[in-house]
Amino acid sequence: METTPKFSHRALALLLIFSAVLFALAAWILWPRPLQVKVNTAAPQTIIATQTVQDLASTKKARVAAANATTPVYSYDQSVSTKQADQLTRFEKALATVETTATSKAQTALKKAQKDNANAVLAVPTPAELTKTFRAQYSKADYPYFYQFSTAFLTQAYGLTQAQRHQAFEAASKAVAAQLAGRVTSDQLTASKQTARRAVKAANLTAAQNKVATTLVNQTLIANELVDTTKTKAKQAAAAAAVKPVAILQGQVIVQQGQLIDQSVLHQITVLGLTKRKAPWALLGFGVLLIVQALAVLALLMDHPRAEQAKELLLYGGGMLLVALIMLGLRYLANTSGANLTLLLPAALLPLIFRTFIDRRWGLLAALMQTLLAYFIFYSTTGTIFTAGTAVTYLTTGILAVMIPKRRLNDVLQRVAFWVLGLNLALTVSLMLMQGARFTSSLTWQTLGFTVVGQVLGYILAIGVTPYLELIWRDDAIFRLNQLSNPNDPLLRELLTKAPGTYHHSMMVASLAANAVAKIGGRARLTRVACYYHDVGKLKRPLYFTENMPNGFDSPHHHLSAQASAKIIFAHVDDGVAMLKARHMPQFIIDICQQHHGTTLMKYFYMEALKTDPSTPESEYRYQGPKPQSIEAAVINLADTCEAAIRSMKQPTPEKIHDFVHHITDERLADGQFDDAPITVAQLRQVEASLEAGLASTFYTRIEYPQTPDDIK
């Protein structure tokens, strides 16, 4: 068993063409082009960050600077004073020990020499010899403090007597101890040494002693409040970590067109990767968006007849391409005159149009897709002029536009204004207040003004384009209906001339049916015009229909069989459909012509046929139909029968009219004539009341007023 494809080939081809054209429109924008810029040259265009990127080099530099600017963490060591005093004491003792030992050896050697030579003299060790001995006896590895002092100093120290040297050491020790009694940092050390040297100088010392003591102070006095390396490093690490990453923000203006490009600007451009040829990720992303859109469109098309799919897709694709072209124009203007111009997009246009001519889901899809499309259209290799606030404005405008009932925009102008303009503007102001907009700033009012203009444009364009789209899209286009309702229409003129009774009947049915349809929320204007043409098939044989027969005219049916007469009456439906199709009438009018009798039984001729042949099947005297498919067709079915019957009724009264209309309604309901029409019993009762009122006001025979003699004359 073959299954019918869900999608028409034409619709699929249109979807493919539409997606390809849209992709081509955006390709030249989204294809990455590296910037050719140099230091000390003018910027060829305004360069704006296309994305938020962390500047790693600047971040590292800022963190190093923060770490270096951190003050060291000091730790006070009270033992330094004792340690340095011990160093001085040991140093003095070591000097004395070397000197005592050397002198003792010299005296021993003298005693031995005097045994051989009474005139032998004591060989006192010289300062240089003592220095040499000192160095030999105390190694640098074991006594690093001793090696802070030069050979010249040791010679100077040994140039003093032990008593003189002791005085020098004592003066130095007191001066150092006095300074180390308090806190001495490395920064304060120089000042502390100066103070200690002044203290040494104030002591009662010889020049040689002062020189030795001063050297001792310089080498022994050290800081007792030292940098805590571990804590300092931790503090520096914390300071570096506290530095926020240096980032180039999306939308940030790097350089204005014509401004000089310096090293800093070039660095930012390089970090953004604008000087390198990149993979076309944006174009790939746009391709994914088009695929998503195509899938969404196909999902929506599944719920629509195949015959309507191409038309619906043509409207959707054409609308989206139009918006894309408007975006391209706004993109050019925004790049040259200000980013706020993107707010001028009539974002309500497509959702309003699609809600009116297809359904609400198509409007919602358009609202979403045009917002995402804007992200790509307003994208550039050198920047973006599309903000999150603009995107929210587009999306809310589109969503609010589909909140309106699915009726002609001209019939719900106040609701459109409320949702698209009033409520939307309030949401825009709310968003601006949340962002902290200053209403004393001209930029804020400019943004608000552009937003309002964009919303008003969408509103006006949707209303303005609706009548023209109706001519193509809908049967009840105002322009078309006004044209068809003109009495000078050739078909109506012919009907009035050749079948005046049918013309009058059609006008009456039109009035009755339109009023009844309006009561139940149907398309009254379309119903009225359809009724004008529902019986045009009678033009083929106008005199075979009672309403066109002159008084005293011998009906041609008197000379025909019931079967032949029924065939002629049945033919007026097919003839009318053929005539309307030849005139390319709206499909709704053709449908009304074809459905206004449904599959009802032509009782008169059927009863005549039974007289001749009691076995005559009823089906031969039923209209071919189809049964009414809409509430308008159902109402016309009743109005047509009721008007013709009441017209031929003798002395119709409101009671007779009521009984007849009610009887016909119940009879048609029981006959299943309304099974295919979306009309309820409650609505049928409203239609009954409307038809009764209209027929009573037209056909009710009032009492005759007595005539005066003057009237008779």
Side-chain angles (χ1 to χ4, degrees):
M1 180 177 179
E2 294 184 1
T3 57
T4 304
K6 293 181 179 179
F7 307 108
S8 70
H9 296 302
R10 189 180 176 190
L12 293 175
L14 285 173
L15 180 59
L16 183 61
I17 293 171
F18 156 62
S19 300
V21 172
L22 203 55
F23 186 83
L25 283 176
W28 69 276
I29 297 174
L30 301 175
W31 189 260
R33 301 177 184 86
L35 283 175
Q36 303 294 332
V37 292
K38 294 181 180 179
V39 176
N40 297 327
T41 60
Q45 61 191 96
T46 298
I47 301 174
I48 308 173
T50 58
Q51 57 187 329
T52 298
V53 178
Q54 184 176 343
D55 187 344
L56 296 177
S58 297
T59 300
K60 182 178 180 181
K61 186 177 179 180
R63 286 175 175 171
V64 169
N68 292 338
T70 303
T71 56
V73 178
Y74 290 94
S75 178
Y76 176 57
D77 189 353
Q78 293 179 329
S79 66
V80 170
S81 178
T82 304
K83 290 177 181 177
Q84 294 306 98
D86 289 344
Q87 294 278 31
L88 279 174
T89 302
R90 285 196 299 162
F91 189 30
E92 182 183 4
K93 287 182 178 180
L95 290 172
T97 300
V98 169
E99 184 178 12
T100 300
T101 302
T103 302
S104 176
K105 287 182 179 180
Q107 290 176 347
T108 301
L110 176 61
K111 289 180 180 179
K112 288 182 179 180
Q114 285 179 341
K115 290 180 180 180
D116 298 329
N117 182 4
N119 294 323
V121 179
L122 179 63
V124 179
T126 64
E129 291 174 339
L130 292 173
T131 298
K132 185 177 180 181
T133 303
F134 183 87
R135 291 294 194 204
Q137 189 170 342
Y138 297 97
S139 65
K140 186 175 183 180
D142 296 329
Y143 302 94
Y145 173 75
F146 295 171
Y147 279 82
Q148 293 182 36
F149 300 95
S150 65
T151 301
F153 170 78
L154 293 176
T155 304
Q156 289 175 355
Y158 279 122
L160 300 174
T161 65
Q162 287 194 19
Q164 291 174 331
R165 194 164 57 245
H166 176 71
Q167 289 177 346
F169 268 86
E170 187 176 19
S173 180
K174 289 180 180 180
V176 169
Q179 294 302 310
L180 293 180
R183 295 175 180 268
V184 179
T185 65
S186 55
D187 294 337
Q188 300 169 337
L189 186 58
T190 301
S192 294
K193 287 183 177 181
Q194 288 178 350
T195 303
R197 288 195 293 268
R198 285 196 294 269
V200 168
K201 192 174 183 180
N204 190 18
L205 300 174
T206 63
Q209 288 176 311
N210 185 70
K211 193 172 183 179
V212 170
T214 298
T215 302
L216 289 171
V217 167
N218 289 336
Q219 298 300 327
T220 306
L221 183 55
I222 61 174
N224 60 3
E225 192 168 19
L226 304 174
V227 174
D228 189 322
T229 305
T230 302
K231 292 182 179 179
T232 299
K233 287 183 178 180
K235 185 178 180 181
Q236 290 174 337
V243 174
K244 294 183 179 180
V246 178
I248 303 172
L249 303 178
Q250 181 182 12
Q252 177 182 333
V253 177
I254 306 302
V255 63
Q256 295 281 0
Q257 183 178 7
Q259 289 184 345
L260 192 66
I261 296 177
D262 56 19
Q263 194 63 46
S264 174
V265 170
L266 182 61
H267 171 73
Q268 289 180 306
I269 294 174
T270 303
V271 169
L272 287 168
L274 300 180
T275 58
K276 298 179 181 179
R277 185 175 296 279
K278 299 182 294 184
W281 297 117
L283 193 60
L284 180 62
F286 187 67
V288 173
L289 176 66
L290 292 182
I291 292 173
V292 171
Q293 179 177 242
L295 293 175
V297 167
L298 290 174
L300 293 179
L301 286 177
M302 289 178 65
D303 298 331
H304 295 263
R306 294 178 74 250
E308 299 292 325
Q309 289 177 356
K311 186 170 69 170
E312 291 168 351
L313 191 54
L314 189 62
L315 180 62
Y316 179 82
M320 291 300 293
L321 288 175
L322 174 64
V323 166
L325 291 174
I326 295 174
M327 288 180 182
L328 289 173
L330 290 176
R331 179 181 183 276
Y332 172 77
L333 293 175
N335 276 328
T336 56
S337 304
N340 279 339
L341 288 173
T342 56
L343 292 167
L344 292 176
L345 182 78
L349 175 61
L350 293 189
L352 283 173
I353 293 299
F354 297 158
R355 176 212 65 88
T356 301
F357 291 99
I358 312 180
D359 63 34
R360 182 172 280 110
R361 294 183 302 163
W362 286 83
L364 288 172
L365 179 64
L368 175 63
M369 286 302 164
Q370 73 180 3
T371 302
L372 296 175
L373 179 63
Y375 269 110
F376 288 93
I377 292 293
F378 293 131
Y379 176 89
S380 160
T381 55
T382 57
T384 176
I385 53 176
F386 194 64
T387 65
T390 309
V392 170
T393 299
Y394 285 3
L395 193 58
T396 54
T397 300
I399 291 175
L400 292 174
V402 300
M403 296 294 184
I404 304 156
K406 189 178 179 181
R407 292 162 59 188
R408 294 187 70 257
L409 290 181
N410 287 25
D411 297 336
V412 287
L413 289 182
Q414 291 183 342
R415 294 194 182 185
V416 176
F418 170 75
W419 288 99
V420 176
L421 302 181
L423 200 60
N424 201 6
L425 180 60
L427 290 176
T428 301
V429 172
S430 172
L431 183 63
M432 295 177 71
L433 290 171
M434 183 274 293
Q435 294 174 332
R438 293 183 297 108
F439 285 88
T440 56
S441 170
S442 60
L443 181 61
T444 298
W445 286 104
Q446 182 191 69
T447 301
L448 189 60
F450 284 161
T451 302
V452 172
V453 171
Q455 293 167 357
V456 171
L457 277 176
Y459 173 77
I460 293 175
L461 288 175
I463 294 173
V465 78
T466 293
Y468 300 98
L469 285 175
E470 285 178 342
L471 289 173
I472 304 171
W473 196 266
R474 293 176 59 162
D475 290 331
D476 59 349
I478 295 297
F479 291 164
R480 183 70 168 140
L481 293 182
N482 288 341
Q483 182 184 25
L484 293 175
S485 62
N486 190 333
N488 290 320
D489 182 89
L491 200 53
L492 291 182
R493 236 184 10 250
E494 185 181 2
L495 191 65
L496 177 62
T497 304
K498 295 182 179 180
T502 299
Y503 177 86
H504 187 262
H505 162 72
S506 298
M507 297 300 113
M508 289 298 298
V509 172
S511 179
L512 292 169
N515 291 337
V517 165
K519 291 285 187 182
I520 59 175
R523 295 172 288 181
R525 185 183 291 107
L526 185 59
T527 300
R528 182 180 296 276
V529 177
C531 287
Y532 291 164
Y533 295 89
H534 81 287
D535 270 345
V536 293
K538 294 179 179 180
L539 282 170
K540 291 286 186 180
R541 302 175 186 85
L543 294 179
Y544 280 82
F545 298 90
T546 306
E547 69 266 21
N548 296 317
M549 297 178 186
N551 288 331
F553 182 76
D554 183 21
S555 172
H557 293 291
H558 294 163
H559 308 286
L560 296 173
S561 66
Q563 185 178 14
S565 293
K567 186 176 181 181
I568 292 173
I569 302 299
F570 284 147
H572 90 277
V573 174
D574 293 333
D575 291 339
V577 170
M579 293 170 69
L580 293 175
K581 286 183 177 180
R583 279 282 307 276
H584 302 290
M585 285 288 195
Q587 185 60 43
F588 181 84
I589 294 178
I590 297 174
D591 291 341
I592 290 297
C593 179
Q594 194 170 32
Q595 299 168 20
H596 76 278
H597 282 295
T599 58
T600 55
L601 178 66
M602 194 181 296
K603 287 186 177 181
Y604 178 81
F605 290 113
Y606 175 61
M607 298 303 296
E608 290 296 315
L610 288 178
K611 293 177 182 178
T612 304
D613 182 6
S615 63
T616 301
E618 183 180 290
S619 59
E620 291 183 4
Y621 288 85
R622 280 189 177 271
Y623 283 91
Q624 293 182 358
K627 296 176 181 179
Q629 305 292 305
S630 63
I631 61 173
E632 293 85 1
V635 172
I636 293 172
N637 177 281
L638 287 174
D640 180 58
T641 301
C642 291
E643 196 280 335
I646 300 301
R647 178 189 294 275
S648 61
M649 184 181 293
K650 295 180 179 181
Q651 296 183 339
T653 63
E655 291 75 16
K656 288 182 178 180
I657 292 172
H658 168 76
D659 292 342
F660 181 82
V661 172
H662 183 69
H663 169 72
I664 287 295
T665 303
D666 286 350
E667 183 182 70
R668 296 286 165 88
L669 194 60
D671 194 31
Q673 294 301 312
F674 305 137
D675 289 353
D676 297 339
I679 191 168
T680 65
V681 174
Q683 288 176 321
L684 284 172
R685 298 311 174 206
Q686 290 180 280
V687 170
E688 275 186 45
S690 178
L691 292 177
E692 290 168 11
L695 290 167
S697 65
T698 303
F699 295 107
Y700 174 42
T701 303
R702 295 171 175 81
I703 61 172
E704 292 186 7
Y705 289 96
Q707 294 179 323
T708 65
D710 291 337
D711 294 329
I712 298 174
K713 293 177 183 179

